[in-house]
Amino acid sequence: MLYREAGQFKTSYFSDSQVFPIRQDRIGMALLLAVAFVVVPLVGSTYWFSAILIPFLVFALAALGLNILTGYAGQLSLGSAAFMAVGAYAAYNFQLRITGMPIVLSLLLAGGCAALVGVLFGLPSLRIKGFYLAVATLAAQFFVVWVLTKFSWFSNDSSSGVISAPKIDFFGIAINTPVKKYLFVLAIVCVMAMLAKNLVRSSTGRAWMAVRDMDVAAEVIGIRLMQSKLQAFAVSSFFCGVAGALYAFCYLGSVEPDGFSLDLSFRILFMIIIGGVGSILGAFLGSAFILLLPIFLDNVLPPLAVLLHLPFTNATVSHIQLMLFGGLIIFFLIVEPHGLARLWQIAKEKLRLWPFPH
């Protein structure tokens, strides 16, 4: 009864093509944004902003970029962290070497640099696919880290390659507190998520999905494979590059090339697998799952071991956490291979019929 669209008639093409065509979705999204922009800054603590909310948004943006490439265009990639590194170091150099450059412009240019690198490493996708393409993008992971470590110019002649993020100034407003950094990252993520949502609903997104489902048939009906695949790599790398810049500027404050390791690429890949491949919502759900579950287990397992008088050391608790984490991932993949976004879609379909039997 609460989620039934009966009586909501579409009288124009504009109303039929809205991002949220159902009134309940629009109201829910408006309430969610109101809570995120107004309520959370008032009640959140410094720990929540610095350790949970900001990394959640940054990783959701990176997962969104990978989901565009893997979920919508069907191109496997293991180089997401490398594109994040390009974005972080590019934004750092733009801010360092061009006096007075607005931070937003630095982020856009950093995303553009990551897009160029993504297109370069996306060229093998014109000839190979599947696991072979994943290995080709894996080369980007090691090559980018090697370049950033070997050539000290990118880190302003730092011997270790470590960079420290400069002060962020947004049109005269200093972004120097966790709350301001959270609102800054949230605004950027919201804009880019809406951009991604409209992009995958456009002719470009439909071309990506056609290439994903069957590239030979897509080429037969007139879709240019080279253009579609390279576009997907460029857009995906752009999102990852912006996420990398935010990762360095608003989350860590200082990063090194080894911080953008293969482990980070796998974490982002797990986010879209668990959240839902080919889903904008899945990027956010997967990011929340991967980021929040270890924190939850860290806070629950030690007190539980003390309560039950179990002879567990801190190392044992850590190992149990890893086993539970891996087991829950396998459980979710078995129960719903299409991810948490599919579970949410099923819940909405049930709400449409509730309280009637189905």
Side-chain angles (χ1 to χ4, degrees):
M1 298 291 289
L2 297 175
Y3 195 76
R4 192 168 303 168
E5 63 269 29
Q8 300 183 33
F9 302 107
K10 308 296 188 299
T11 58
S12 64
Y13 177 77
F14 175 78
S15 61
D16 190 47
S17 60
Q18 295 180 88
V19 176
F20 301 105
I22 301 176
R23 186 186 302 117
Q24 290 90 332
D25 286 340
R26 294 195 294 271
I27 295 173
M29 183 55 63
L31 291 175
L32 181 62
L33 291 177
V35 169
F37 277 100
V38 179
V39 178
V40 172
L42 295 177
V43 301
S45 63
T46 301
Y47 170 77
W48 273 85
F49 292 124
S50 301
I52 296 177
L53 294 176
I54 293 177
F56 158 70
L57 292 171
V58 170
F59 286 129
L61 183 59
L64 188 58
L66 181 59
N67 219 345
I68 289 175
L69 179 64
T70 301
Y72 287 99
Q75 308 300 306
L76 292 178
S77 174
L78 294 176
S80 304
F83 304 134
M84 290 179 66
V86 172
Y89 278 80
Y92 169 77
N93 280 279
F94 283 125
Q95 286 288 297
L96 178 69
R97 304 181 191 282
I98 304 178
T99 306
M101 173 170 283
I103 182 62
V104 175
L105 182 57
S106 295
L107 293 177
L108 293 175
L109 292 176
C113 293
L116 292 176
V117 176
V119 169
L120 177 64
F121 284 96
L123 290 175
S125 68
L126 306 179
R127 292 292 182 183
I128 57 179
K129 62 178 66 174
F131 292 111
Y132 299 100
L133 178 60
V135 173
T137 56
L138 184 61
Q141 181 66 51
F142 298 106
F143 178 77
V144 168
V145 172
W146 175 79
V147 168
L148 295 176
T149 305
K150 183 71 173 178
F151 299 97
S152 59
W153 181 88
F154 293 107
S155 56
N156 195 27
D157 296 324
S158 171
S159 58
S160 60
V162 178
I163 60 172
S164 297
K167 296 180 179 179
I168 305 175
D169 184 87
F170 182 69
F171 296 106
I173 302 174
I175 311 297
N176 53 7
T177 64
V179 177
K180 291 180 179 179
K181 290 180 179 179
Y182 160 74
L183 290 173
F184 179 70
V185 174
L186 178 62
I188 293 176
V189 171
C190 288
V191 170
M192 297 192 70
M194 183 59 67
L195 176 64
K197 182 68 174 178
N198 283 285
L199 190 60
V200 298
R201 296 167 66 240
S202 66
S203 58
T204 301
R206 291 193 293 271
W208 289 343
M209 288 181 275
V211 172
R212 173 196 65 191
D213 294 337
M214 187 174 292
D215 53 357
V216 176
E219 190 174 19
V220 168
I221 64 176
I223 294 176
R224 298 179 179 178
L225 294 185
M226 181 180 74
Q227 178 178 332
S228 297
K229 289 182 178 181
L230 294 184
Q231 274 182 344
F233 269 96
V235 174
S236 171
S237 302
F238 178 85
F239 276 69
C240 290
V242 175
L246 295 175
Y247 182 74
F249 282 28
C250 298
Y251 176 39
L252 294 181
S254 62
V255 293
E256 58 180 347
D258 291 336
F260 298 95
S261 61
L262 182 61
D263 178 66
L264 182 59
S265 292
F266 275 115
R267 286 183 65 189
I268 298 171
L269 180 62
F270 293 154
M271 287 176 188
I272 69 168
I273 292 175
I274 294 172
V277 177
S279 168
I280 302 297
L281 176 63
F284 291 89
L285 295 179
S287 175
F289 183 89
I290 294 294
L291 186 67
L292 297 181
L293 183 62
I295 297 175
F296 173 77
L297 293 177
D298 275 337
N299 291 321
V300 170
L301 289 180
L304 186 62
V306 173
L307 181 64
L308 298 177
H309 303 288
L310 299 176
F312 288 167
T313 63
N314 290 333
T316 305
V317 172
S318 177
H319 293 156
I320 293 175
Q321 174 191 328
L322 291 176
M323 289 188 292
L324 284 176
F325 186 59
L328 285 172
I329 290 176
I330 296 173
F331 172 77
F332 272 110
L333 292 180
I334 292 174
V335 172
E336 183 48 70
H338 297 289
L340 299 175
R342 177 57 184 166
L343 292 178
W344 172 243
Q345 184 180 358
I346 292 173
K348 291 200 301 182
E349 292 173 356
K350 292 183 180 296
L351 283 174
R352 286 180 176 142
L353 296 176
W354 183 86
F356 301 105
H358 49 284

